[in-house]
Amino acid sequence: MRLVIARCSVDYAGRLTAHLPLAPRLILVKADNSVSIHADDRAYKPLNWMSPPCSLKVSEAGDAEGGAAAVWTVENRTGEKLIITMAEILHDSSHELGVDPGLIKDGVEAHLQELLADRMETLGEGWSLIRREYPTAIGPVDILGRDAAGATIAVEIKRRGEIDGVEQLTRY
């Protein structure tokens, strides 16, 4: 994991365009080259990001004052780009986190997941279980199943019904 605090601007080019003006930000670069850009006032949600698989290239470019600025270009396989122009790097450190042991669910969520997986018909007549903790590129789906018509269904178990759970399902 690489942690960089920098005064930077960020431009996204892909399905749409977006621009973050020059400001101090935290940039996280994971071992898979995925990148997320954070501000101090946004809790855990990044301002912008590029999910894996993607590549990271670093180059030098002239800045508005005639000096050199580092430019990071993060590109995914569909050609979307996140271009980070560094005006000043305030901190740069790398840390080996090793293999993550995974999330162990506790209490209500884990028990509810187990019960629903054993009783898929509770969710709908003719529903069947494909697998619990179905792995995806962005994390496991709590329950993956099929409805009576054969459509694949993703079920996420949450203690509180908030927008984050809906956003998680849309990413699957």
Side-chain angles (χ1 to χ4, degrees):
M1 171 83 63
R2 184 175 177 189
L3 307 171
V4 177
I5 299 173
R7 282 187 340 99
C8 63
S9 63
V10 181
D11 292 285
Y12 167 80
R15 293 167 289 170
L16 55 94
T17 58
H19 175 73
L20 291 170
L22 187 65
R25 298 201 172 83
L26 168 64
I27 304 163
L28 301 176
V29 182
K30 293 187 177 181
D32 59 9
N33 284 332
S34 62
V35 174
S36 60
I37 293 110
H38 299 263
D40 203 14
D41 65 344
R42 302 290 164 96
Y44 64 91
K45 287 194 86 158
L47 298 166
N48 212 325
W49 66 92
M50 186 66 69
S51 300
C54 56
S55 63
L56 171 62
K57 294 182 178 114
V58 178
S59 60
E60 297 290 325
D63 65 15
E65 295 150 10
V71 177
W72 293 10
T73 303
V74 187
E75 185 172 357
N76 68 14
R77 65 177 177 247
T78 63
E80 294 173 290
K81 291 182 182 178
L82 199 58
I83 300 164
I84 306 165
T85 304
M86 308 287 188
E88 178 183 12
I89 294 178
L90 305 167
H91 174 85
D92 189 347
S93 64
S94 295
H95 307 273
E96 285 294 325
L97 300 181
V99 176
D100 189 83
L103 177 65
I104 299 171
K105 297 185 178 182
D106 65 338
V108 176
E109 289 182 27
H111 294 145
L112 182 56
Q113 183 190 110
E114 186 177 330
L115 287 169
L116 282 174
D118 289 340
R119 297 170 182 83
M120 287 294 288
E121 68 280 357
T122 303
L123 300 174
E125 187 175 325
W127 283 40
S128 61
L129 176 69
I130 294 173
R131 181 174 170 179
R132 286 179 54 198
E133 296 294 326
Y134 183 84
T136 73
I138 61 166
V141 174
D142 289 342
I143 296 174
L144 191 68
R146 292 206 189 285
D147 67 11
T152 303
I153 306 297
V155 178
E156 275 299 311
I157 312 294
K158 300 292 179 200
R159 288 185 189 188
R160 294 182 307 270
E162 297 176 348
I163 192 66
D164 291 340
V166 175
E167 289 175 351
Q168 184 176 357
L169 282 169
T170 61
R171 289 191 303 270
Y172 292 140

